[in-house]
Amino acid sequence: MSDKVLFNDGDQLSEQNLAQRAAKSNQTDYVERGMSVTPNGDGTIDIGSGHAVVRDADRAWDVFPDPRAGLPLQDSSGTNHVFLTFDAGASDVDESLNYHIDADGSEPSTPSLLIAIVDAGAGAVAEQNSDPSISAEQLNTKPLKVGYWTDSHWGNSSNNSFVSQTALEAKIDEFAADMNSWGDGGADLVILGGDITTEDNSSQSNSQQRITDFRDYLEGQLNDSIPYHMVWGNHEFANAGTWDYQWSYGPWGISEDSDTYYSIDKHHGKIIVLNTGFNDGSEANLDSSVPSGQFDWFKNELESTNKPVYVFTHTPIPPGTHSGYDNIGLYDQAKYGHLIDQHDNIELVTFGHSHHLSNFGRSPSFDHSLVQRWGQTPYFYQHFPHGVGITGTDFDGSVTPYGKLHIYQDGHWWMQQSYAGDDTDYRTDWQSNGGIEPTVEETWESLSWGYQDAITSLDGYQTTEVGSNSAVTIQQTGRPHYQLDVDNSASGNKAAMMMQRSAAPLTNAEGVDWADMVLNVVCEIDNMTDFAGHIGRGFTAAGGQTFVGLYFNSGNTNLWASDGTDFQTGAATLPNPTGGPTHYQIRMTRSLDRISASVDHNTENGAWMCDEHVPPLDNSTTSADAQSHLYLFNAEARTKSATAQTLRIYDWNIEIAPRLNMTV
């Protein structure tokens, strides 16, 4: 619509409503017809006449440009971006039509539409934003049906968490039969989520044969019309330090690292498969990382589609159980997590791998399928097909877990579990209505903790005592705790304990190391008078050095954060921990320059759990660098006027992750 036809906003036939109709809703700006771009070979182009619909924030225009000849390209041998532009305030918009051509793709500030990208050197033209004609595929309102099978570990010997080979074959039969009969025509495709076979550690060739055997068996059961696609898991890179790390590629029909990540455009959804089980021998056996080149490729894939996106991985990008085995490394975890959260058309990320059928001291216990919401994105864990429940307690190998993902045109998805009809008492389906809503506040408020007796050693800590009777000890009376006693012989006496890490730091400029962090600490101070000190992550709460945590001084408990440069806050005053053990949960989001806290957060009958010490993913070690700003946990009690002081720490943990969210 142009300004020649006007309606009042709010009318059923308002200009905005009609503009949305004119733009066909599924694409806001497009070339309706014509406007073909032809390179002349002399650094100029010709553009034909045509019709386009161009829209700004609240209006849309039907424009009819005349043909133009001999328009000069900015880069006569490289890439040029061609925009249609006009003056929205002109009395006759068509008279103001013009073309803007540049080499870097900078969109003009006036209403504009990118109509072509011209490679002058090759004489090639890629038309952009052409007529969004509705194809038969787009008219398909039936859901895209994706079968999801992962971690079958074909060839693994039967033990208390894996069924026998015969039983596994029966489970594959069950899965294939369901895929073949699913809806009208069966599943549209099947995703194999990694760790499909278990390696034979005695033989690389035997391990390759297992892949061939599995494929032959599956293909004998699955209809030929149903394609299946592989996600690479850490067991596909087993023994990478001693075998050819690409040993699994050939049996799966690929040859390069870059073949292990790819995308599938199917109907109204885009599936992206990432390799999060990669190991070229530089990691410990069966540990996970990502191949070089994948991140940039992934970023480009996300930027080049408007379809709902569904990402399949093996080893989780979110922290899972926060163990070293269950992650791709702190840096890549943060890097990929932030990228995913920047794209609100990513509707779901899936993973397998974490089939922990005992509690292992880990929480949550991955003994059935579940969803973790991490930041804005739901991450679905698909359990392995061997059974559900905890080993030695309620493990049930008669149940065959696999997923049935329904993807609808509007981005709405429904993940259904195969054991929906079995009496497992586990949740069996999850749905999203399309679109992602921010859930950071809800996430933080959902975290709950229960107490564990876990304090048994000072191993891994560096301790400091100033004053002949100052000491850092472990006390087992009542609830076990660390106790920092300060000698009263002189002002400035102190007791301190620090756990450190030797891993290389991430730079503040990348916004990763301090992006998101949750610190839990349960502590108690007998008398705040003349007490000074701190508990947190980092070097100290004073002097603008890197620190996040609690700062005690002059009878007050303050919430404090500083990255050692430009960000520092100490405004929040919290209740003092003088009435008994007090649980503080501190949440730091560096990218938002925000820190908040809860006191006695979600405790149940005075109980808490903080998974004492630090997850292995942080590589905690003792360091000789007494001034390191990489202190992972730093607690200090100090007297200001020769008064004896005591600080008790009953439990603590630091979870370093871009987003830590609830599990359902």
Side-chain angles (χ1 to χ4, degrees):
M1 301 302 300
S2 73
D3 54 4
K4 296 175 184 176
V5 181
L6 297 175
F7 298 92
N8 293 322
D9 286 338
D11 288 352
Q12 189 173 8
L13 294 178
S14 70
E15 184 172 9
Q16 184 172 1
N17 289 343
L18 286 176
Q20 291 173 341
R21 297 299 181 190
K24 298 183 181 178
S25 296
N26 61 328
Q27 190 166 330
T28 56
D29 300 276
Y30 64 94
V31 176
E32 177 70 25
R33 59 176 171 79
M35 298 175 62
S36 60
V37 177
T38 305
N40 296 319
D42 60 356
T44 67
I45 57 173
D46 296 341
I47 303 178
S49 61
H51 173 202
V53 177
V54 185
R55 184 178 177 185
D56 67 4
D58 53 15
R59 292 190 294 171
W61 293 262
D62 272 315
V63 293
F64 301 86
D66 294 326
R68 299 286 296 274
L71 294 174
L73 297 172
Q74 188 175 86
D75 188 338
S76 60
S77 61
T79 300
N80 296 264
H81 298 75
V82 182
F83 294 87
L84 172 68
T85 68
F86 56 87
D87 181 0
S91 57
D92 189 332
V93 169
D94 286 344
E95 291 296 324
S96 71
L97 289 171
N98 205 346
Y99 288 98
H100 170 86
I101 302 174
D102 65 39
D104 62 5
S106 300
E107 186 174 354
S109 58
T110 57
S112 63
L113 174 66
L114 177 66
I115 67 166
I117 299 175
V118 179
D119 184 341
V125 176
E127 293 185 351
Q128 306 291 309
N129 297 309
S130 57
D131 177 10
S133 300
I134 298 177
S135 65
E137 182 179 78
Q138 290 172 309
L139 284 172
N140 179 12
T141 58
K142 295 181 179 179
L144 176 65
K145 296 169 293 182
V146 181
Y148 188 20
W149 172 277
T150 187
D151 293 272
S152 50
H153 289 276
W154 172 283
N156 196 85
S157 299
S158 176
N159 59 35
N160 58 3
S161 60
F162 291 89
V163 299
S164 68
Q165 182 69 16
T166 301
L168 179 59
E169 290 174 3
K171 289 172 178 285
I172 295 173
D173 296 347
E174 177 186 343
F175 169 72
D178 196 3
M179 295 299 102
N180 294 339
S181 61
W182 184 3
D184 182 14
D188 292 299
L189 64 124
V190 164
I191 298 292
L192 303 177
D195 287 7
I196 298 304
T197 64
T198 292
E199 66 283 356
D200 178 350
N201 288 317
S202 68
S203 171
Q204 177 177 308
S205 61
N206 286 353
S207 299
Q208 292 170 321
Q209 184 61 46
R210 286 182 178 178
I211 296 174
T212 301
D213 292 344
F214 170 85
R215 295 190 67 181
D216 287 345
Y217 191 88
L218 177 65
E219 290 170 10
Q221 310 303 316
L222 195 65
N223 285 348
D224 293 342
S225 60
I226 301 176
Y228 63 88
H229 303 271
M230 179 65 180
V231 179
W232 262 257
N234 59 313
H235 278 270
E236 276 72 44
F237 296 93
N239 299 308
T242 54
W243 297 351
D244 173 9
Y245 78 90
Q246 298 176 327
W247 64 266
S248 69
Y249 289 6
W252 284 109
I254 66 168
S255 58
E256 304 293 336
D257 293 349
S258 58
D259 296 330
T260 63
Y261 51 90
Y262 54 92
S263 63
I264 305 166
D265 267 302
K266 188 77 169 177
H267 299 335
H268 34 261
K270 181 164 188 169
I271 291 171
I272 293 179
V273 171
L274 296 179
N275 182 353
T276 58
F278 183 74
N279 190 342
D280 61 3
S282 59
E283 307 289 333
N285 188 38
L286 297 181
D287 277 2
S288 300
S289 63
V290 292
S292 62
Q294 177 175 264
F295 181 82
D296 290 338
W297 172 87
F298 183 37
K299 183 177 181 182
N300 182 67
E301 286 290 303
L302 294 176
E303 291 173 349
S304 62
T305 186
N306 291 319
K307 285 186 174 183
V309 173
Y310 302 83
V311 181
F312 284 80
T313 70
H314 178 74
T315 305
I317 292 173
T321 61
H322 310 284
S323 76
Y325 181 68
D326 272 348
N327 77 94
I328 58 175
L330 177 62
Y331 178 81
D332 287 317
Q333 181 187 96
K335 189 176 179 181
Y336 278 80
H338 279 287
L339 177 62
I340 287 169
D341 254 9
Q342 290 168 9
H343 293 271
D344 59 7
N345 61 325
I346 297 180
E347 302 291 344
L348 181 68
V349 180
T350 74
F351 65 98
H353 178 72
S354 302
H355 46 85
H356 306 307
L357 295 187
S358 71
N359 56 27
F360 284 152
R362 296 168 174 172
S363 178
S365 182
F366 286 84
D367 57 356
H368 62 285
S369 298
L370 51 82
V371 166
Q372 290 183 308
R373 182 170 288 278
W374 205 40
Q376 295 190 119
T377 307
Y379 288 74
F380 181 82
Y381 163 67
Q382 176 59 52
H383 198 47
F384 75 164
H386 290 268
V388 295
I390 296 176
T391 300
T393 303
D394 60 353
F395 176 68
D396 184 355
S398 68
V399 177
T400 304
Y402 56 86
K404 299 173 71 174
L405 176 62
H406 310 246
I407 298 174
Y408 296 86
Q409 195 168 28
D410 62 355
H412 165 213
W413 58 266
W414 172 28
M415 178 67 85
Q416 186 180 24
Q417 285 299 287
S418 55
Y419 51 89
D422 298 317
D423 187 18
T424 63
D425 293 327
Y426 294 125
R427 183 169 176 175
T428 57
D429 70 289
W430 296 260
Q431 297 187 47
S432 167
N433 291 324
I436 302 296
E437 296 296 330
T439 59
V440 172
E441 297 300 336
E442 290 83 351
T443 289
W444 285 347
E445 293 307 315
S446 75
L447 298 173
S448 62
W449 310 94
Y451 175 66
Q452 286 185 333
D453 287 344
I455 296 175
T456 59
S457 172
L458 284 168
D459 290 347
Y461 291 94
Q462 175 181 315
T463 60
T464 303
E465 295 91 8
V466 176
S468 58
N469 292 318
S470 295
V472 178
T473 60
I474 290 177
Q475 300 294 321
Q476 298 293 343
T477 303
R479 290 173 173 169
H481 59 274
Y482 303 105
Q483 184 158 310
L484 283 65
D485 291 305
V486 182
D487 183 304
N488 65 356
S489 62
S491 176
N493 283 352
K494 67 179 182 179
M497 56 185 293
M498 296 159 285
M499 176 173 277
Q500 302 170 302
R501 73 175 186 189
S502 59
L506 303 174
T507 65
N508 284 323
E510 290 179 289
V512 175
D513 198 28
W514 292 92
D516 284 30
M517 187 194 86
V518 178
L519 163 67
N520 288 275
V521 63
V522 182
C523 63
E524 180 181 18
I525 298 173
D526 286 344
N527 184 0
M528 292 289 293
T529 304
D530 297 324
F531 182 94
H534 53 258
I535 301 174
R537 180 191 179 201
F539 176 58
T540 179
Q545 294 160 314
T546 309
F547 182 85
V548 176
L550 304 173
Y551 178 46
F552 309 105
N553 193 29
S554 301
N556 294 320
T557 300
N558 297 104
L559 180 61
W560 193 276
S562 171
D563 67 3
T565 55
D566 62 333
F567 176 64
Q568 185 168 320
T569 179
T573 301
L574 304 175
N576 290 328
T578 52
T582 304
H583 178 194
Y584 298 89
Q585 184 179 94
I586 298 167
R587 305 173 291 268
M588 168 67 184
T589 305
R590 175 62 180 91
S591 58
L592 301 179
D593 283 359
R594 183 176 68 176
I595 182 171
S596 60
S598 299
V599 181
D600 287 332
H601 180 87
N602 283 358
T603 56
E604 298 180 8
N605 299 320
W608 61 81
M609 179 189 72
C610 294
D611 278 345
E612 197 271 334
H613 296 310
V614 179
L617 66 88
D618 228 63
N619 302 317
S620 300
T621 63
T622 300
S623 168
D625 181 3
Q627 300 301 313
S628 172
H629 72 283
L630 295 174
Y631 287 132
L632 207 56
F633 182 77
N634 186 348
E636 179 179 293
R638 188 172 70 254
T639 180
K640 298 180 68 174
S641 59
T643 302
Q645 300 288 354
T646 297
L647 167 63
R648 300 180 187 89
I649 299 173
Y650 295 89
D651 215 350
W652 70 270
N653 88 327
I654 298 173
E655 294 174 25
I656 303 168
R659 283 135 184 90
L660 172 65
N661 279 345
M662 58 189 172
T663 300
V664 294

